[in-house]
Amino acid sequence: MDQEEGETAVAKVAVGVGTELAQLEIPVTRTLIVSGAIASRDYQDVHHDAELAKEKGSPDIFMNILTTNGLVGRYVTDHFGPAAVLRKVAIRLGAPNYPGDTMVLTGTVTEVEGEVGSGSESDGGGATVVVRIVGANGLGKHVTGTVTVTLPSAPSPTTVPSRPSVSGRLA
């Protein structure tokens, strides 16, 4: 990628206070709930055993906070790109995510510090952005919170991207 392509990639991201991220609809399936619990090593029965969840007063299994946290992080990096770095994810759960529902994530930029494309690799990149997140389902708000993300800096005019040579070493 040359410098012009790098600048274009950074400039394509809308980053101003009030910018709304495109909503993301996530079907809440049993597979998503159970696999998220397993992946995060949360073996609480309410996340994988419907009968035991019902015995404990829940109508069904429900999503754990670690799965929700991962989905919120994915939502933000899907918008800002894979080079964006999550710095802080602060969320609070509300209504449970049960199988068969859909969670709709929305986000709004509430703070921007620095300029998009400014900064350097040594100081962590370009602008730091705070996004207010809401994830709602049929019961109400499942998750609310904020995500702080650092955006990639634009390549400097003197920067030449390192490419592996045939030997696999950086040229």
Side-chain angles (χ1 to χ4, degrees):
M1 169 167 54
D2 62 20
Q3 176 198 355
E4 193 172 291
E5 289 173 2
E7 287 175 356
T8 302
V10 172
K12 284 183 183 177
V13 178
V15 186
V17 172
T19 299
E20 293 185 11
L21 283 62
Q23 75 177 25
L24 175 64
E25 293 185 8
I26 301 171
V28 180
T29 64
R30 287 185 184 285
T31 302
L32 175 62
I33 293 169
V34 173
S35 61
I38 290 169
S40 61
R41 296 182 178 186
D42 183 348
Y43 303 118
Q44 294 292 315
D45 50 26
V46 294
H47 302 308
H48 65 85
D49 188 319
E51 292 307 312
L52 288 174
K54 288 175 186 174
E55 284 179 20
K56 293 184 176 183
S58 178
D60 207 338
I61 63 171
F62 54 91
M63 186 177 287
N64 72 355
I65 192 169
L66 297 171
T67 303
T68 300
N69 198 56
L71 293 170
V72 166
R74 167 197 161 195
Y75 175 60
V76 172
T77 58
D78 279 358
H79 178 79
F80 291 109
V85 177
L86 296 175
R87 297 295 180 184
K88 180 178 179 184
V89 178
I91 61 172
R92 176 178 217 138
L93 293 185
N97 263 341
Y98 292 118
D101 208 342
T102 299
M103 178 172 65
V104 179
L105 286 168
T106 56
T108 305
V109 174
T110 59
E111 296 176 41
V112 178
E113 185 179 310
E115 293 183 33
V116 177
S118 67
S120 66
E121 295 305 315
S122 64
D123 69 7
T128 298
V129 178
V130 177
V131 181
R132 176 87 180 134
I133 300 292
V134 175
N137 61 31
L139 297 174
K141 292 180 182 176
H142 168 67
V143 62
T144 56
T146 58
V147 176
T148 304
V149 61
T150 301
L151 303 183
S153 59
S156 68
T158 58
T159 302
V160 177
S162 298
R163 294 190 174 97
S165 66
V166 176
S167 69
R169 294 185 180 153
L170 293 179

